Amino acid sequence: QVQLVESGGGFVQVGENVRLSCVVSGSTFSTVHFAWYRQAPGKQREWVASITPSSVPTYAGSVEGRFTISRDNGKKEVYLQMNSLKPEDTAVYYCRRLGTFSAWGQGTQVTVSS
């Protein structure tokens, strides 16, 4: 059974940085694409960033230049480094295993206060 567990969220001030982690178990890791999504209150879940098995990233325009997605194949972990946070980054952030056996984590809350 595939499990993804996010951590690292919290309450931060505008301009601060946060690093989210996603630990993956029960799944092939090194050959799989992963992604981060987020869902703000009252809004639909949106894609934030993806990473290929060879660690090539892609980003949504709203986070390009501020967020960095990375992975550690040995640890089976995916990361999202979020810098220069803004109030509009407030959301629950989800890790997702892409592909045939897609799976989601339970999410971690990030709140950015001004």
Side-chain angles (χ1 to χ4, degrees), residues 11-53:
F11 188 94
V12 298
Q13 301 294 319
V14 169
E16 292 185 342
N17 306 332
V18 168
R19 187 196 197 207
L20 305 183
S21 298
C22 173
V23 179
V24 182
S25 61
S27 167
T28 302
F29 186 91
S30 62
T31 58
V32 175
H33 297 242
F34 288 91
W36 286 94
Y37 287 72
R38 67 185 180 186
Q39 187 165 18
K43 295 188 177 181
Q44 289 189 328
R45 191 172 298 188
E46 65 173 358
W47 169 76
V48 174
S50 296
I51 189 165
T52 70

Side-chain angles (χ1 to χ4, degrees), residues 6 17 26 34 46 49 57 64 67 71 83 86 91 102 106 114:
E6 303 95 334
N17 306 332
F34 288 91
E46 65 173 358
E64 181 91 49
F67 290 12
R71 62 192 292 161
N83 296 338
K86 305 175 181 180
S102 177
Q106 83 291 345
S114 56

Side-chain angles (χ1 to χ4, degrees), residues 16-18 20 66-67 80-85 93 110:
E16 292 185 342
N17 306 332
V18 168
L20 305 183
R66 298 188 299 123
F67 290 12
L80 186 67
Q81 177 68 43
M82 306 189 296
N83 296 338
S84 303
L85 284 164
Y93 283 75
V110 174

